[in-house]
Amino acid sequence: MEPPANPGDSPVELELTVENVESALYQLYFDPDMERKNVAQKWLTQAQASAHAWQFCWALLSPDKLPEVQFFGASTLHTKISRHWSDLPTEQHESLRMQLLSHILHFSSGPKMVLTRLCVALASMALNLIPQAWSQPVADMVRAFQPQKPEPEGSSGAEASQDPQAHCLALLELLTVLPEEFQSSRLAQARRSQLREALAGEWKVVCPMLRQLLQSQDSSDQVKEKVLRCLSSWVGLDVPLGESQELVQDCFTALSNPELFDTAVETIVNAISQPDCQRYIDALVNLMPLVLGLHDQLKTAAQDGDMETSHGICRIAVAMGETHSRVLLEQVEHWQEYLALVNMILFCTGIPGHYPVSETTSSLTLTFWYTLQDDILSFEEEKQSVYLQVYRPVYFQLVDVLLHKSHYPSQEEYTSWSSDDKEQFRIYRVDISDTLMYVYEMLGAELLSNLYDRLGRQLMDPQQSAAWQDTEALLFGFQSIAETIDVNYSDVIPGLIGLIPRINISNIMLADTVMYTIGSLAEWLADHPVMLGGILPMVLQGLVKAELSVSSVSTLKRICRECRHDLGPYAQDILTVSQDVLVKEIHKSSQCMWLMQALGFLLSALPVEEILGRLHSLITPHVQQLDTLAQQEPDPTNKQPIIHILGMLSSLFTTLDINRQADGVEGAANPRLTPSQTTRNPVVVVLQQVFTLIQTILSKWLDDSEVVEAVCGVFDKSVRTLLHDFGPMVAQLSEMLGQIYSAFPQASALDLARQMVLIFAGEDHHMSSIKSLIVVLTSATLTIFQQGPRDHPDIAESFMHLHAQILKRKPDLYLSDELDVKALFCCGILSLKFPETPTVNAASLFFTELLPRCKDMPSLGEVLQRDGKLLTETILQAVGGGSPRSLTEHFSDVLLSLNRHCPALLSQWLKETLQTPGFPSAQVSTEQKHTFSQQLLREQTNKRRVKDIVKEFSLLCRGLQGSGYSDY
């Protein structure tokens, strides 16, 4: 069939005829040209919205049309009914309903997609008419579909008697989509409540019919599956379980039919997961034997490796046990049944096989154990103790089961797993770890003793020939608990620390867990430093193995951070091994950074006179390598090594803080007496020594932002850590920063300058260096703004942050003739126009720091008088649609600050800018603009209120008010 016209040529002018709609559909579905498809789609959307759509949709549903055309006709009907219902005169409602029913009967044999859309259209119509204009929709629908009473619509009546099953399925489809259409429709709260009540009343008609169809031997599997889906849809309306419990019970019989199993599971789970079910305790109690009756089917499925069946039955058991845990616990006379359900769920937790390769069921149960524990522990003490007698033994069993499920498979089997399976197993073990940590709250110290006794037997008893997985699982249990629970007072930890060195760590996965377990006990070791001697050699042994990189380095870092004041005797060993692995490049870049941070902690706690020598021996090989690289011409192959070495120095200087020494020395005579009072900080000494080398690197890599960022990172981390001890470096660093920024502006240089302003702005002897730097940076950045800053949002952001910091810490700099305050104000306005959130945020911060100072600083006051109107206009334009809606909050901060510090001027500027017709948007009237101004000017303190006023005005300007967007 050839399309009669081509809407791609002039879609806007094309007449809305059936032929043209068909032609556009051909283009949409079959034209390979994406641009023409898009044109057709746009035109079809306009066609659906037009008044003509009420007519042409029926022609598209003609039997001789393609299914795609018929589908569009049905979809158009749904669109008109759901969105343009008010366009249809009341007297046409009845004929529309009869036409829809007739077409649904006609399409009952297919195509399925057309039938479903027609059913959705009729459901949408019902929602518009219930309850006043259509009081018994379900009864009328059932009557229309009864074979013995065909509609007097010619051919459809003949078909009605020919295929009763097709009509039955069509009726069930209609009844299924009715609640779904209600759930997905946007309705006012009052209307939603009215409809929910009316539909719940209709359940009295639907429920017996569904039950009859499900029980009937004449019903095909197809009909029964549709019944199950229909029930699933209606339970979403919170229909009372008391009224439908017999139907839910009937669903359990469908579980024995493999064709219906999945749908039956879904339906039962939906039915018993409704929170409202807790009002129907008798119904829940009556369902319990049916759930327990599935235990044998579950065991058989587990033995046969039937993952689908065990998964489905587990979902039902968990839905019953988890959703209604407290209610069922309180049914004291049925305590044995609930205990049986808990044991059934425990069986699911421990189902045979390795997750996720040979089973996927056990993970479904983990949240149940949280819920049950919470409910038991929420009872008053006397009642709680009774429940604990029953359930503590179950939870000890649970621990055994969880540890068993956390076992790694054999090395060979694990190697054969896909990377996706390994990642899922890792996440599964994290979930088990969280569950064990939670269970500790119920089982307490006895749980640790239990784990320790079992580990002791494994490692000490010569009769025991435990697999490495058993040892690993017990340590994993310890680590899960020690990671988050304070175990400092546990009497088993000393014994555990004594057992760990006995573990053979030749297996990598076991060795990994040993490392993490030691790491989790770092705080305990800080309180018991005498035990470090037995443990540290194992960590250093792990450090030389690339396979243990993450676990060994992170553990050493934790020990160095927590125990640094007691590591003096072991410092040489730690440094020797660390230097060795760093030179041999055993670890990846990120682990090298962690290791440097660990060594920073270690060095911080050594005697001050030792630090410099140790520091030199640690970094000399890397500085030498950096020197070699610096002599070479820039090349991609030597760029990464340069960034890597600079990153290691940054990481080291992040944690190397000799002022921390006093933090851990109790009773120090003068705890904040810093070495800078007598000698230079070792970090400063090193930085001064490598300064020339860094300048050489910069001279060659000045146009590479990553290298410049890495250099700035070294100084940034040092400034943040050393604070005022960094003082000796300020002059030469300021000079270097000014030079590199003038040659090639980079945001990282501005960020470092901001850090220096933060720390040294209050120190007069550094102010000339800082001031000179600010003048140079500002001058270079103003040049960028004059040339057009749009391609440099990062520089604009960092520049605004820098000047916000100056205004906060040292506003006197703005009195200098060398700073062009007017130009800075304009830079702020330009930055507000950026679409990037961080840049706008920084510009808003700049203005909220600047505006309060305009009264006291004449130069700022003059600029505000001159350009404040432009600032106001820029903000209003952005709020009115010039910028993304997500930025509105930042603009409201500036408006609030203007209103706080110059309300009279703001009032004048608002009046002048808003009187322009169509500004900031044609969508807002003069009256709405006046209301906005008045509301805004009334608020000088309430930040939340100003934000709401500006947000509301922004929505009005964009034509989104009342569209539902105001909720987001």
Side-chain angles (χ1 to χ4, degrees), residues 849-871:
E849 291 292 346
L850 182 142
L851 293 169
R853 290 173 174 79
C854 288
K855 282 182 186 172
D856 306 328
M857 300 176 72
S859 58
L860 289 182
E862 286 170 25
V863 173
L864 180 65
Q865 287 273 1
R866 175 182 161 149
D867 291 328
K869 181 182 173 184
L870 178 59
L871 172 63

PDB file of all heavy atoms in Angstrom, residues 849-871:
ATOM      1  N   GLU A 849      29.334  38.085  49.242  1.00  0.00           N
ATOM      2  CA  GLU A 849      30.438  38.622  50.050  1.00  0.00           C
ATOM      3  C   GLU A 849      30.669  40.105  49.753  1.00  0.00           C
ATOM      4  O   GLU A 849      31.057  40.877  50.633  1.00  0.00           O
ATOM      5  CB  GLU A 849      31.738  37.841  49.775  1.00  0.00           C
ATOM      6  CG  GLU A 849      31.748  36.407  50.285  1.00  0.00           C
ATOM      7  CD  GLU A 849      31.747  36.313  51.811  1.00  0.00           C
ATOM      8  OE1 GLU A 849      32.004  37.337  52.487  1.00  0.00           O
ATOM      9  OE2 GLU A 849      31.464  35.213  52.320  1.00  0.00           O
ATOM     10  N   LEU A 850      30.447  40.522  48.495  1.00  0.00           N
ATOM     11  CA  LEU A 850      30.734  41.898  48.083  1.00  0.00           C
ATOM     12  C   LEU A 850      29.666  42.883  48.566  1.00  0.00           C
ATOM     13  O   LEU A 850      29.990  43.965  49.081  1.00  0.00           O
ATOM     14  CB  LEU A 850      30.853  41.937  46.553  1.00  0.00           C
ATOM     15  CG  LEU A 850      31.191  43.296  45.909  1.00  0.00           C
ATOM     16  CD1 LEU A 850      32.127  43.096  44.728  1.00  0.00           C
ATOM     17  CD2 LEU A 850      29.952  44.046  45.453  1.00  0.00           C
ATOM     18  N   LEU A 851      28.391  42.541  48.419  1.00  0.00           N
ATOM     19  CA  LEU A 851      27.300  43.483  48.698  1.00  0.00           C
ATOM     20  C   LEU A 851      27.297  44.020  50.135  1.00  0.00           C
ATOM     21  O   LEU A 851      27.061  45.217  50.338  1.00  0.00           O
ATOM     22  CB  LEU A 851      25.951  42.841  48.343  1.00  0.00           C
ATOM     23  CG  LEU A 851      25.750  42.584  46.834  1.00  0.00           C
ATOM     24  CD1 LEU A 851      24.528  41.714  46.584  1.00  0.00           C
ATOM     25  CD2 LEU A 851      25.633  43.903  46.075  1.00  0.00           C
ATOM     26  N   PRO A 852      27.576  43.187  51.175  1.00  0.00           N
ATOM     27  CA  PRO A 852      27.580  43.735  52.542  1.00  0.00           C
ATOM     28  C   PRO A 852      28.660  44.803  52.757  1.00  0.00           C
ATOM     29  O   PRO A 852      28.583  45.566  53.727  1.00  0.00           O
ATOM     30  CB  PRO A 852      27.855  42.512  53.427  1.00  0.00           C
ATOM     31  CG  PRO A 852      27.537  41.327  52.583  1.00  0.00           C
ATOM     32  CD  PRO A 852      27.806  41.741  51.177  1.00  0.00           C
ATOM     33  N   ARG A 853      29.666  44.846  51.900  1.00  0.00           N
ATOM     34  CA  ARG A 853      30.792  45.776  52.119  1.00  0.00           C
ATOM     35  C   ARG A 853      30.650  47.069  51.316  1.00  0.00           C
ATOM     36  O   ARG A 853      31.510  47.942  51.388  1.00  0.00           O
ATOM     37  CB  ARG A 853      32.113  45.078  51.756  1.00  0.00           C
ATOM     38  CG  ARG A 853      32.432  43.989  52.777  1.00  0.00           C
ATOM     39  CD  ARG A 853      33.605  43.128  52.435  1.00  0.00           C
ATOM     40  NE  ARG A 853      33.904  42.231  53.540  1.00  0.00           N
ATOM     41  CZ  ARG A 853      33.239  41.105  53.809  1.00  0.00           C
ATOM     42  NH1 ARG A 853      32.237  40.759  53.035  1.00  0.00           N
ATOM     43  NH2 ARG A 853      33.553  40.367  54.847  1.00  0.00           N
ATOM     44  N   CYS A 854      29.570  47.183  50.556  1.00  0.00           N
ATOM     45  CA  CYS A 854      29.410  48.367  49.703  1.00  0.00           C
ATOM     46  C   CYS A 854      29.210  49.644  50.522  1.00  0.00           C
ATOM     47  O   CYS A 854      29.594  50.733  50.086  1.00  0.00           O
ATOM     48  CB  CYS A 854      28.231  48.169  48.746  1.00  0.00           C
ATOM     49  SG  CYS A 854      28.609  46.960  47.448  1.00  0.00           S
ATOM     50  N   LYS A 855      28.596  49.540  51.706  1.00  0.00           N
ATOM     51  CA  LYS A 855      28.355  50.724  52.535  1.00  0.00           C
ATOM     52  C   LYS A 855      29.655  51.297  53.080  1.00  0.00           C
ATOM     53  O   LYS A 855      29.839  52.506  53.161  1.00  0.00           O
ATOM     54  CB  LYS A 855      27.432  50.359  53.710  1.00  0.00           C
ATOM     55  CG  LYS A 855      25.966  50.258  53.329  1.00  0.00           C
ATOM     56  CD  LYS A 855      25.117  49.939  54.561  1.00  0.00           C
ATOM     57  CE  LYS A 855      23.663  49.702  54.148  1.00  0.00           C
ATOM     58  NZ  LYS A 855      22.864  49.207  55.280  1.00  0.00           N
ATOM     59  N   ASP A 856      30.569  50.400  53.486  1.00  0.00           N
ATOM     60  CA  ASP A 856      31.802  50.845  54.147  1.00  0.00           C
ATOM     61  C   ASP A 856      32.924  51.162  53.171  1.00  0.00           C
ATOM     62  O   ASP A 856      33.926  51.773  53.554  1.00  0.00           O
ATOM     63  CB  ASP A 856      32.299  49.742  55.113  1.00  0.00           C
ATOM     64  CG  ASP A 856      31.201  49.337  56.082  1.00  0.00           C
ATOM     65  OD1 ASP A 856      30.393  50.204  56.438  1.00  0.00           O
ATOM     66  OD2 ASP A 856      31.163  48.140  56.447  1.00  0.00           O
ATOM     67  N   MET A 857      32.799  50.699  51.931  1.00  0.00           N
ATOM     68  CA  MET A 857      33.885  50.898  50.970  1.00  0.00           C
ATOM     69  C   MET A 857      33.345  51.699  49.777  1.00  0.00           C
ATOM     70  O   MET A 857      32.641  51.151  48.915  1.00  0.00           O
ATOM     71  CB  MET A 857      34.450  49.547  50.510  1.00  0.00           C
ATOM     72  CG  MET A 857      34.998  48.737  51.683  1.00  0.00           C
ATOM     73  SD  MET A 857      35.562  47.079  51.222  1.00  0.00           S
ATOM     74  CE  MET A 857      37.058  47.445  50.335  1.00  0.00           C
ATOM     75  N   PRO A 858      33.675  52.996  49.742  1.00  0.00           N
ATOM     76  CA  PRO A 858      33.101  53.886  48.713  1.00  0.00           C
ATOM     77  C   PRO A 858      33.292  53.365  47.290  1.00  0.00           C
ATOM     78  O   PRO A 858      32.385  53.474  46.460  1.00  0.00           O
ATOM     79  CB  PRO A 858      33.861  55.199  48.926  1.00  0.00           C
ATOM     80  CG  PRO A 858      34.301  55.140  50.347  1.00  0.00           C
ATOM     81  CD  PRO A 858      34.557  53.706  50.659  1.00  0.00           C
ATOM     82  N   SER A 859      34.461  52.766  47.009  1.00  0.00           N
ATOM     83  CA  SER A 859      34.697  52.309  45.630  1.00  0.00           C
ATOM     84  C   SER A 859      33.694  51.229  45.231  1.00  0.00           C
ATOM     85  O   SER A 859      33.206  51.206  44.092  1.00  0.00           O
ATOM     86  CB  SER A 859      36.131  51.780  45.485  1.00  0.00           C
ATOM     87  OG  SER A 859      36.352  50.712  46.396  1.00  0.00           O
ATOM     88  N   LEU A 860      33.367  50.348  46.176  1.00  0.00           N
ATOM     89  CA  LEU A 860      32.375  49.301  45.890  1.00  0.00           C
ATOM     90  C   LEU A 860      30.984  49.910  45.772  1.00  0.00           C
ATOM     91  O   LEU A 860      30.177  49.510  44.921  1.00  0.00           O
ATOM     92  CB  LEU A 860      32.390  48.240  46.997  1.00  0.00           C
ATOM     93  CG  LEU A 860      33.592  47.308  47.064  1.00  0.00           C
ATOM     94  CD1 LEU A 860      33.422  46.298  48.191  1.00  0.00           C
ATOM     95  CD2 LEU A 860      33.824  46.577  45.758  1.00  0.00           C
ATOM     96  N   GLY A 861      30.691  50.883  46.653  1.00  0.00           N
ATOM     97  CA  GLY A 861      29.379  51.544  46.613  1.00  0.00           C
ATOM     98  C   GLY A 861      29.141  52.221  45.274  1.00  0.00           C
ATOM     99  O   GLY A 861      28.034  52.153  44.711  1.00  0.00           O
ATOM    100  N   GLU A 862      30.164  52.867  44.738  1.00  0.00           N
ATOM    101  CA  GLU A 862      30.030  53.545  43.443  1.00  0.00           C
ATOM    102  C   GLU A 862      29.724  52.555  42.325  1.00  0.00           C
ATOM    103  O   GLU A 862      28.881  52.802  41.463  1.00  0.00           O
ATOM    104  CB  GLU A 862      31.329  54.299  43.118  1.00  0.00           C
ATOM    105  CG  GLU A 862      31.532  55.568  43.927  1.00  0.00           C
ATOM    106  CD  GLU A 862      32.939  56.132  43.737  1.00  0.00           C
ATOM    107  OE1 GLU A 862      33.556  55.847  42.682  1.00  0.00           O
ATOM    108  OE2 GLU A 862      33.428  56.827  44.653  1.00  0.00           O
ATOM    109  N   VAL A 863      30.448  51.439  42.352  1.00  0.00           N
ATOM    110  CA  VAL A 863      30.227  50.417  41.310  1.00  0.00           C
ATOM    111  C   VAL A 863      28.812  49.865  41.410  1.00  0.00           C
ATOM    112  O   VAL A 863      28.141  49.645  40.385  1.00  0.00           O
ATOM    113  CB  VAL A 863      31.267  49.278  41.433  1.00  0.00           C
ATOM    114  CG1 VAL A 863      30.929  48.149  40.477  1.00  0.00           C
ATOM    115  CG2 VAL A 863      32.659  49.795  41.150  1.00  0.00           C
ATOM    116  N   LEU A 864      28.348  49.632  42.632  1.00  0.00           N
ATOM    117  CA  LEU A 864      26.992  49.103  42.819  1.00  0.00           C
ATOM    118  C   LEU A 864      25.959  50.096  42.279  1.00  0.00           C
ATOM    119  O   LEU A 864      25.012  49.697  41.586  1.00  0.00           O
ATOM    120  CB  LEU A 864      26.743  48.819  44.305  1.00  0.00           C
ATOM    121  CG  LEU A 864      25.355  48.246  44.636  1.00  0.00           C
ATOM    122  CD1 LEU A 864      25.176  46.866  44.005  1.00  0.00           C
ATOM    123  CD2 LEU A 864      25.153  48.146  46.145  1.00  0.00           C
ATOM    124  N   GLN A 865      26.142  51.403  42.603  1.00  0.00           N
ATOM    125  CA  GLN A 865      25.215  52.430  42.103  1.00  0.00           C
ATOM    126  C   GLN A 865      25.169  52.411  40.569  1.00  0.00           C
ATOM    127  O   GLN A 865      24.115  52.523  39.963  1.00  0.00           O
ATOM    128  CB  GLN A 865      25.696  53.824  42.559  1.00  0.00           C
ATOM    129  CG  GLN A 865      25.493  54.100  44.044  1.00  0.00           C
ATOM    130  CD  GLN A 865      24.115  54.658  44.354  1.00  0.00           C
ATOM    131  OE1 GLN A 865      23.290  54.828  43.458  1.00  0.00           O
ATOM    132  NE2 GLN A 865      23.852  54.914  45.622  1.00  0.00           N
ATOM    133  N   ARG A 866      26.337  52.220  39.994  1.00  0.00           N
ATOM    134  CA  ARG A 866      26.460  52.303  38.535  1.00  0.00           C
ATOM    135  C   ARG A 866      25.947  51.049  37.830  1.00  0.00           C
ATOM    136  O   ARG A 866      25.239  51.123  36.823  1.00  0.00           O
ATOM    137  CB  ARG A 866      27.931  52.549  38.190  1.00  0.00           C
ATOM    138  CG  ARG A 866      28.202  52.540  36.716  1.00  0.00           C
ATOM    139  CD  ARG A 866      29.659  52.727  36.420  1.00  0.00           C
ATOM    140  NE  ARG A 866      29.939  52.276  35.080  1.00  0.00           N
ATOM    141  CZ  ARG A 866      30.867  52.786  34.305  1.00  0.00           C
ATOM    142  NH1 ARG A 866      31.631  53.768  34.735  1.00  0.00           N
ATOM    143  NH2 ARG A 866      31.074  52.325  33.087  1.00  0.00           N
ATOM    144  N   ASP A 867      26.330  49.843  38.358  1.00  0.00           N
ATOM    145  CA  ASP A 867      26.045  48.592  37.632  1.00  0.00           C
ATOM    146  C   ASP A 867      25.065  47.660  38.346  1.00  0.00           C
ATOM    147  O   ASP A 867      24.833  46.542  37.888  1.00  0.00           O
ATOM    148  CB  ASP A 867      27.360  47.833  37.376  1.00  0.00           C
ATOM    149  CG  ASP A 867      28.238  48.551  36.364  1.00  0.00           C
ATOM    150  OD1 ASP A 867      27.676  49.192  35.464  1.00  0.00           O
ATOM    151  OD2 ASP A 867      29.478  48.484  36.494  1.00  0.00           O
ATOM    152  N   GLY A 868      24.507  48.127  39.463  1.00  0.00           N
ATOM    153  CA  GLY A 868      23.557  47.267  40.198  1.00  0.00           C
ATOM    154  C   GLY A 868      22.332  46.933  39.385  1.00  0.00           C
ATOM    155  O   GLY A 868      21.786  45.827  39.468  1.00  0.00           O
ATOM    156  N   LYS A 869      21.893  47.907  38.570  1.00  0.00           N
ATOM    157  CA  LYS A 869      20.716  47.647  37.733  1.00  0.00           C
ATOM    158  C   LYS A 869      21.008  46.527  36.731  1.00  0.00           C
ATOM    159  O   LYS A 869      20.172  45.653  36.480  1.00  0.00           O
ATOM    160  CB  LYS A 869      20.302  48.928  37.002  1.00  0.00           C
ATOM    161  CG  LYS A 869      19.062  48.744  36.133  1.00  0.00           C
ATOM    162  CD  LYS A 869      18.714  50.009  35.378  1.00  0.00           C
ATOM    163  CE  LYS A 869      17.588  49.766  34.388  1.00  0.00           C
ATOM    164  NZ  LYS A 869      17.294  50.963  33.570  1.00  0.00           N
ATOM    165  N   LEU A 870      22.216  46.546  36.160  1.00  0.00           N
ATOM    166  CA  LEU A 870      22.610  45.497  35.210  1.00  0.00           C
ATOM    167  C   LEU A 870      22.654  44.130  35.907  1.00  0.00           C
ATOM    168  O   LEU A 870      22.235  43.111  35.348  1.00  0.00           O
ATOM    169  CB  LEU A 870      23.978  45.822  34.615  1.00  0.00           C
ATOM    170  CG  LEU A 870      24.562  44.785  33.629  1.00  0.00           C
ATOM    171  CD1 LEU A 870      23.633  44.589  32.433  1.00  0.00           C
ATOM    172  CD2 LEU A 870      25.960  45.211  33.173  1.00  0.00           C
ATOM    173  N   LEU A 871      23.137  44.111  37.157  1.00  0.00           N
ATOM    174  CA  LEU A 871      23.157  42.868  37.937  1.00  0.00           C
ATOM    175  C   LEU A 871      21.735  42.346  38.141  1.00  0.00           C
ATOM    176  O   LEU A 871      21.450  41.157  37.922  1.00  0.00           O
ATOM    177  CB  LEU A 871      23.839  43.112  39.297  1.00  0.00           C
ATOM    178  CG  LEU A 871      23.766  41.964  40.318  1.00  0.00           C
ATOM    179  CD1 LEU A 871      24.481  40.717  39.800  1.00  0.00           C
ATOM    180  CD2 LEU A 871      24.380  42.393  41.655  1.00  0.00           C
TER     181      LEU A 871
END
